[in-house]
Structures are given as structure tokens and as C-alpha cells.
Amino acid sequence: MNPFVYLVQTAFDLYIMVVLLRVWLQWSRADFYNPFSQFIVKATQPIVAPLRRVIPSIGSLDMATVLFAYVLCVAKFLIIISISSGGVIFEPSFLFLGLLALLKSAGSLLFWVLLIRAILSWVSQGRSPMEYVMYQLTEPLMAPVRRILPAMGGLDLSILVIFIALQFANYAMGSVVGNVWYML
């Protein structure tokens, strides 16, 4: 693998996750005065603010930010292909691949937020402002699972169940889409 492809892919993937995190923070109505939330807003505001004037939200879903994340996913393919092949190539399939990459990035973001919440729950004991935001983001997903699972002597296995469901969805998409899914 070309090291520049790795750097570009990593930079794009991290920023796409930050943009998707902004969408998730708005959708879940998390505390925007939290320092972690403020970082996410400041990292995305220069581009999202002008887009929000043009593209309206649909309910609590900020479509301008979603569109920005999608454009980033398509741009990632364009740049990686141009680095790999030495020229700029655009194919209409990049639009579909961008949509798949956006879906995979959302699943990856969910995985990392759940993992960070689990680690923070062992370490900070509820005193971290970041843990509070992670709680606000993940509790709507974990509470229904927690109601179904029986009590396990103080162990919260809801994160494990969600991890298994995410991995299942990842494998299912890989079998439906093919090997392209694993290269996204």
C-alpha cells in the first residue's frame, strides 16, 4: 500500500467521523456546551455553517452536515484513486461507493463511541464531561437492549450485544456488497 494513500485515507476517515459525530450529537440532542461537543462543532463549523443556510434540516436530522459527510466520502475515493493511478478519474460508481463508505463510517463511529464509553465507565466513574456526552449518545441504543437482557450480577452486557450486532451487520454487508465493502 502506498503510504500517502494510508495518510489520506486515515485523515479522511477521522474527519468523516467527526462530521458524523456532529450529526449524531444534534440528532440525540446532546449537551452542546460540553467541551467535547464544542470541539466537534468548532472542527466542522467553517464548512457546515454556510451549507446550513442553503440546505434545510429534515426534522432533527441536519441534512447539510450529512451531505458534507457524503461529499467527503466521495472525495476520499477521488483522491485515493488519483494518488494510486497518477491521474484524476471519476466514475459514477464513486457516488454509490461514497454512500456505502458513509454507512460503514457510521457503523465504525458507533463502535468507537461504544468502546470509549465502556473504557471511560471503568476509569472515570462518571466524573468526565466526555463520558456524559458518550452516555447521551449511546444510551438510546443501550437502554432497549438492557431491558431485554436479564441482570448479570452488576455486569452490563448491552454493549457486547451491540458489538455483536454491529459485527453481524458488517459481515452481512460484506456478503451483499462483496469485497468492496471491506476496502471502504
Side-chain angles (χ1 to χ4, degrees), residues 17-38:
M17 282 191 195
V18 168
V19 172
L20 287 175
L21 195 52
R22 179 181 174 132
V23 173
W24 195 3
L25 286 167
Q26 290 173 336
W27 180 70
S28 67
R29 294 190 173 115
D31 179 19
F32 263 80
Y33 295 105
N34 187 297
F36 179 71
S37 299
Q38 286 294 308

Side-chain angles (χ1 to χ4, degrees), residues 36-84:
F36 179 71
S37 299
Q38 286 294 308
F39 164 74
I40 299 298
V41 170
K42 287 179 183 176
T44 57
Q45 190 68 7
I47 298 172
V48 170
L51 287 175
R52 290 181 81 188
R53 290 186 205 119
V54 179
I55 303 168
S57 295
I58 298 176
S60 62
L61 186 62
D62 184 8
M63 291 307 296
T65 311
V66 172
L67 180 64
F68 177 50
Y70 172 71
V71 168
L72 284 173
C73 288
V74 173
K76 177 178 85 168
F77 285 114
L78 287 172
I79 293 171
I80 288 172
I81 295 296
S82 66
I83 290 172
S84 298

Side-chain angles (χ1 to χ4, degrees), residues 86-99:
V88 178
I89 301 170
F90 179 78
E91 295 180 17
S93 64
F94 288 170
L95 299 175
F96 180 67
L97 289 174
L99 189 62

